[in-house]
Amino acid sequence: MTVLVTTALQQTWPKDGQEIFFLGEWCKKHNCKQSWAKLSWSCCEYHWNDRSKLYSDYQLIQSIFERILNDLSKILNNIHSVNYSVRYWRIVVGPWLNYFIGILFDRWKMLNSVAIRPESFECNILEREFGELTPYDMNHFNSLYVDDDWNEGIYAELLINYFSDSINLKKVKQEKKNIEQYTERSSMAVRVKSKVLSYLDYSKNRKSQQGQYVFQGLSRATSLSLQCKLRQRPKFWHSHELDQVEPIEASRQWSILNNVEISPFEKIARAMVVNHIPSLYLEGYLPAVSKIKSLDLPQRPELVFTTNGYSSDEFFKLWCADSIDSGSRLVIAQHGGHYGSGLFSATEEHEIKISDKYLTWGWTSAKSDKTLAVGNLNESVKPVKYNKDGRALIIGMGIPRYSYRMYAIPVANQWLDYFEEQSQFVTALGENVLNQLVVRPYNKDYGWNMTSRWRARHPSVVIDKGQKSIRSMMSQ
């Protein structure tokens, strides 16, 4: 019987030379090629290699997200004895929920493509305890969905609950692993700077702060300049740490299934949200809100401005959502590329939906009158000095081996196609250019072993280690 392998975790691979069917290219790490190359294997075709299907699935996922968000908002209001709007919960839980539904759809689709095949399959899955896959918050979730272990757990949960009739499952005890509490510890210099600047944060002003403008995500210089022009006493935003609370099984006995006729996948998504929603939004919600209220932050400021606090800054999101629900206006400025140019983007849609005005780098949207073309607000951007005798530079792109958020870029194993095209480009270069070429791989490897691939394919090309800024390299 063929063994289905869902991830790169070799603990779930067969030990007796059985035929292997890899669920995707993410299973075959380049640095483990000596292990899997000698095995008898084949690999499943990735369903989103059909880009038109990716776009139509995106639209379907967004409609499912909206329905679940509406129902989940009511449940969270009831659980926490509050009465917030859907917009409040969209700001707080929306980024995680949108990611999670898209991720889950992809994992379910891949398993379904195996289940309908005529062959017989078995799959080894790891035994797990309750809450092992549940994130504390969005930052924690960002570290999980790129990880082989978390993805194996998601595949296993789907297999147990929805595919056990078509795929024979065998549970495997997990090898002991060092489990460290999740933390994002900053460097000493960053912590000292944060401590000094905390004396200028918004919570230090004990006077009435209604009518203030609150700025988050701008450079200190830009924020200072804007506040001086607004004749506002300068203050800087400082997000405080929130406690990490463990998920409690007894707190997750509710359901968001309803009597309305829905698709099989939507039923699955609604069922799995219950145990996977980050503990901050459930068990840790009231302690987090209590801490924020104790800090005497501005209440109902006239305007809240952010560039990057809308996704993973839970402290800011909780405070911001409450302020917006109380009447403050939210302005978001574009942070990063792809916005306004890609065919679709869940993040772009989310930012525009939660904001009152959305400031772009130069584009406007026919779909929304909220967008304003104002340019890049980063005052530190200076023209790059071109060196006509300098070197040629390729700056690499990187994405996780597993799909994550929904937007129009290469997805999952399609990074390999991207790398192949880059390699073909380099091969076509003349020797005079090739001798001057520097390749800078993406700063996160995601298990692709990018540097090793470049060196194996083009041993003479100089590989930059990422110690210099990209702008300084562009000047060389």
Side-chain angles (χ1 to χ4, degrees):
M1 186 179 290
T2 303
V3 177
L4 171 66
V5 169
T6 60
T7 70
L9 287 183
Q10 295 194 23
Q11 190 182 350
T12 64
W13 295 20
K15 303 293 190 289
D16 52 6
Q18 288 176 276
E19 178 78 20
I20 290 178
F21 189 63
F22 288 121
L23 191 59
E25 292 291 340
W26 52 82
C27 301
K28 299 155 51 190
K29 283 188 172 182
H30 185 70
N31 63 345
C32 297
K33 190 172 182 178
Q34 289 185 340
S35 297
W36 55 260
K38 60 186 178 183
L39 302 175
S40 177
W41 59 270
S42 56
C43 190
C44 189
E45 176 74 12
Y46 190 48
H47 70 118
W48 278 339
N49 283 345
D50 181 345
R51 299 291 292 187
S52 61
K53 180 181 183 298
L54 172 62
Y55 182 47
S56 62
D57 283 348
Y58 166 78
Q59 294 171 310
L60 172 64
I61 289 165
Q62 293 310 300
S63 65
I64 293 173
F65 162 75
E66 291 295 338
R67 289 193 293 272
I68 294 179
L69 176 65
N70 282 323
D71 291 343
L72 182 59
S73 298
K74 297 173 186 175
I75 290 171
L76 292 173
N77 274 334
N78 183 57
I79 290 173
H80 299 310
S81 300
V82 294
N83 188 30
Y84 284 119
S85 66
V86 173
R87 186 185 183 188
Y88 172 95
W89 291 111
R90 186 187 296 276
I91 293 171
V92 174
V93 77
W96 169 80
L97 184 63
N98 209 317
Y99 274 47
F100 183 70
I101 294 174
I103 287 170
L104 199 61
F105 183 89
D106 171 63
R107 311 308 188 259
W108 171 73
K109 269 293 186 182
M110 289 306 297
L111 290 176
N112 193 60
S113 68
V114 175
I116 62 176
R117 293 173 69 97
E119 305 100 307
S120 296
F121 291 96
E122 65 181 29
C123 185
N124 300 320
I125 58 176
L126 299 181
E127 294 181 346
R128 296 181 184 274
E129 298 179 356
F130 172 83
E132 193 173 331
L133 303 174
T134 306
Y136 295 118
D137 54 24
M138 189 63 186
N139 260 325
H140 188 199
F141 181 64
N142 287 337
S143 72
L144 291 177
Y145 62 67
V146 300
D147 184 64
D148 291 309
D149 184 71
W150 185 85
N151 279 283
E152 193 282 332
I154 294 296
Y155 282 125
E157 189 171 333
L158 286 167
L159 285 164
I160 291 169
N161 293 322
Y162 307 105
F163 294 98
S164 58
D165 290 340
S166 53
I167 299 174
N168 184 37
L169 304 179
K170 294 183 179 180
K171 290 191 176 182
V172 178
K173 287 188 176 181
Q174 288 198 65
E175 296 174 354
K176 289 185 178 181
K177 55 184 180 181
N178 295 324
I179 301 177
E180 298 180 0
Q181 186 178 27
Y182 167 76
T183 182
E184 280 206 334
R185 188 167 180 80
S186 304
S187 67
M188 177 62 74
V190 170
R191 294 200 301 275
V192 170
K193 181 179 179 181
S194 178
K195 184 69 174 177
V196 172
L197 290 173
S198 69
Y199 289 103
L200 291 174
D201 77 28
Y202 286 95
S203 67
K204 302 302 180 182
N205 187 356
R206 300 297 175 181
K207 297 180 181 179
S208 172
Q209 299 181 50
Q210 290 191 5
Q212 271 200 335
Y213 297 87
V214 176
F215 296 95
Q216 186 277 341
L218 291 171
S219 69
R220 302 292 177 187
T222 301
S223 181
L224 180 64
S225 175
L226 281 172
Q227 291 183 78
C228 288
K229 290 177 181 178
L230 292 167
R231 298 182 180 180
Q232 175 175 293
R233 181 182 176 185
K235 291 287 181 180
F236 301 119
W237 181 264
H238 173 70
S239 285
H240 298 251
E241 291 185 5
L242 298 173
D243 293 336
Q244 295 176 357
V245 179
E246 295 294 331
I248 302 171
E249 193 166 5
S251 301
R252 296 172 182 256
Q253 300 304 308
W254 42 276
S255 171
I256 47 177
L257 292 172
N258 53 35
N259 297 324
V260 179
E261 190 69 26
I262 55 178
S263 68
F265 170 73
E266 186 167 341
K267 289 181 181 178
I268 292 170
R270 285 174 177 266
M272 290 185 65
V273 160
V274 176
N275 284 335
H276 288 273
I277 186 171
S279 59
L280 179 69
Y281 311 144
L282 201 62
E283 296 89 350
Y285 175 80
L286 293 179
V289 169
S290 178
K291 180 174 182 176
I292 291 171
K293 289 183 177 179
S294 72
L295 292 173
D296 197 26
L297 289 161
Q299 296 180 11
R300 205 171 65 187
E302 184 175 336
L303 182 141
V304 178
F305 179 99
T306 182
T307 62
N308 58 10
Y310 50 80
S311 181
S312 302
D313 189 336
E314 303 289 9
F315 182 91
F316 174 79
K317 282 161 55 183
L318 285 167
W319 171 83
C320 174
D322 182 70
S323 297
I324 301 308
D325 227 46
S326 299
S328 300
R329 291 177 297 164
L330 177 60
V331 175
I332 297 179
Q334 178 179 340
H335 180 78
H338 190 271
Y339 293 85
S341 59
L343 177 62
F344 61 89
S345 169
T347 301
E348 180 184 313
E349 284 194 26
H350 170 73
E351 293 172 38
I352 292 175
K353 282 181 179 178
I354 65 173
S355 64
D356 293 287
K357 288 296 179 182
Y358 189 79
L359 311 184
T360 77
W361 288 358
W363 56 272
T364 55
S365 172
K367 298 178 182 178
S368 174
D369 59 1
K370 295 180 182 180
T371 55
L372 293 174
V374 299
N376 192 334
L377 297 178
N378 187 350
E379 85 296 331
S380 65
V381 175
K382 298 177 181 179
V384 174
K385 295 180 180 179
Y386 171 65
N387 181 0
K388 65 178 182 179
D389 298 318
R391 310 194 70 164
L393 175 64
I394 292 179
I395 300 172
M397 181 272 293
I399 55 173
R401 286 176 295 122
Y402 303 91
S403 74
Y404 63 125
R405 65 184 170 101
M406 302 287 294
Y407 63 133
I409 65 164
V411 182
N413 65 272
Q414 291 164 10
W415 183 87
L416 295 172
D417 299 327
Y418 159 81
F419 173 75
E420 192 63 36
E421 291 173 354
Q422 296 292 299
S423 177
Q424 290 175 8
F425 173 78
V426 170
T427 300
L429 293 174
E431 186 175 350
N432 61 326
V433 177
L434 193 61
N435 290 337
Q436 295 296 317
L437 181 64
V438 177
V439 173
R440 180 181 176 122
Y442 192 65
N443 61 347
K444 292 183 180 178
D445 186 75
Y446 295 119
W448 288 117
N449 306 113
M450 300 175 188
T451 297
S452 297
R453 290 178 188 270
W454 274 108
R455 285 178 173 159
R457 191 72 67 88
H458 303 281
S460 64
V461 169
V462 175
I463 306 297
D464 178 72
K465 296 180 179 179
Q467 296 175 337
K468 297 180 180 179
S469 72
I470 291 178
R471 293 188 64 80
S472 67
M473 294 189 67
M474 290 171 65
S475 299
Q476 298 173 7

